[in-house]
Amino acid sequence: MALLDVKEMTQYFGGLCAVSEFSVSLEPGQMVALIGPNGAGKTTVFNLISGFYKPTRGDILFKGESIKGLKPHQVTGRGIARTFQNIRLWFEMTVLDNIRIAQHHALGYGLWDCFLRTPRYMQSERAIEDHAMDVLTRLGLREVAHEYPKNLPYGVQRMVEIARALSIRPALLMLDEPAAGLNSSDVEGLIKLIGDIHKDFGLTVWMIEHQMDVVMTLCSWIKVIDFGATIAEGGPAAIQNSPEVIKAYLGDDTI
């Protein structure tokens, strides 16, 4: 059974078709890329999968069950985590608190437990903090656990956002342009980081990325969309030599 099976997903915004009959099947343990020119509909696809929009048509199956129409927190609870193209951290909270708060869906206590600081509350909070510190340690971020993200370099902020996504113990990690804004040395570190995460956490990774070094190094399968429609898919070599992909990225005069 595929981990994620998207079937002819279509999304209209008014009269504009942002995504047209998009289908993809991700197997457990795969590392896959979704690429295309700016405005192609890539982030809209991720927003549909993660529950920010409900598809106009089609279906989204995760672990064999439809998640179409679920709210973002419900999708997260099923085991899908994502990052965003523009970093979305709580900059006035510590790195540790950013990681802890991402586990709100798995709290083992209620409001009165919180007010009365019951044993159930204390035990759950300890478990959440221990897990957050474990994730930060595995990503080499333990030393910045009590820092504020606003005081950290941009590349480290990116890593914190990935750590927050990993803290929910996802089966599928969706990365929306993780290399955006990084310099060349940071990109090299990111490639190693994502590769290590894929291996160490045993995840399926699906990324949107414009940095072709990242895509071609890490991904075994690449899907390309333009104007919301799929124009090519295949392995790195096939995509690099696809006339349709070259045309979409570089224009008619290049082929």
Side-chain angles (χ1 to χ4, degrees):
M1 180 187 299
L3 179 68
L4 179 73
D5 195 8
V6 182
K7 299 183 176 182
E8 298 182 348
M9 184 174 67
T10 298
Q11 178 67 20
Y12 281 91
F13 295 112
L16 173 66
C17 183
V19 176
S20 177
E21 298 184 349
F22 181 91
S23 297
V24 71
S25 183
L26 304 186
E27 301 296 328
Q30 268 192 303
M31 188 148 6
V32 179
L34 177 64
I35 68 173
N38 289 328
K42 304 182 298 296
T43 295
T44 300
V45 168
F46 270 27
N47 286 339
L48 288 163
I49 304 297
S50 53
F52 288 92
Y53 305 135
K54 180 180 179 180
T56 306
R57 292 197 304 269
D59 204 357
I60 306 164
L61 302 179
F62 185 67
K63 297 181 180 178
E65 297 183 359
S66 178
I67 59 171
K68 177 182 176 179
L70 294 185
K71 302 297 184 183
H73 71 278
Q74 295 172 315
V75 174
T76 298
R78 296 290 182 95
I80 298 177
R82 68 169 294 184
T83 63
F84 295 86
Q85 181 178 347
N86 298 314
I87 292 175
R88 298 186 183 180
L89 296 172
W90 290 282
F91 288 99
E92 301 300 327
M93 301 172 65
T94 66
V95 167
L96 178 60
D97 285 340
N98 269 271
I99 309 304
R100 291 173 65 243
I101 202 170
Q103 301 174 63
H104 67 89
H105 68 286
L107 293 177
Y109 59 82
L111 184 60
W112 284 109
D113 294 299
C114 182
F115 283 149
L116 299 175
R117 301 180 71 82
T118 63
R120 179 163 54 179
Y121 164 83
M122 299 299 292
Q123 182 179 5
S124 181
E125 284 296 309
R126 280 196 298 270
I128 287 171
E129 181 161 342
D130 288 347
H131 177 59
M133 288 301 298
D134 177 63
V135 172
L136 290 173
T137 300
R138 293 173 72 176
L139 268 66
L141 295 170
R142 188 181 184 91
E143 292 184 356
V144 301
H146 300 289
E147 298 286 344
Y148 292 97
K150 64 181 181 181
N151 297 328
L152 299 175
Y154 185 82
V156 178
Q157 292 178 15
R158 282 280 180 197
M159 293 175 63
V160 171
E161 190 176 38
I162 293 173
R164 184 177 62 185
L166 290 171
S167 73
I168 73 161
R169 300 177 174 90
L172 171 61
L173 177 63
M174 299 165 59
L175 304 173
D176 192 348
E177 296 196 32
L182 301 184
N183 59 40
S184 57
S185 61
D186 284 338
V187 169
E188 291 177 6
L190 179 73
I191 291 173
K192 183 180 185 305
L193 174 67
I194 295 174
D196 289 344
I197 287 170
H198 178 244
K199 178 178 66 175
D200 295 344
F201 287 82
L203 297 171
T204 299
V205 178
W206 191 14
M207 72 175 73
I208 295 170
E209 188 50 71
H210 285 292
Q211 291 267 7
M212 288 300 101
D213 286 348
V214 177
V215 173
M216 298 301 172
T217 301
L218 292 172
C219 297
S220 59
W221 191 260
I222 302 166
K223 192 174 182 73
V224 189
I225 62 173
D226 191 21
F227 294 106
T230 300
I231 60 171
E233 57 184 308
I239 294 303
Q240 281 182 313
N241 296 300
S242 167
E244 291 82 4
V245 176
I246 295 171
K247 178 180 177 181
Y249 271 105
L250 302 176
D252 293 329
D253 293 339
T254 63
I255 61 174

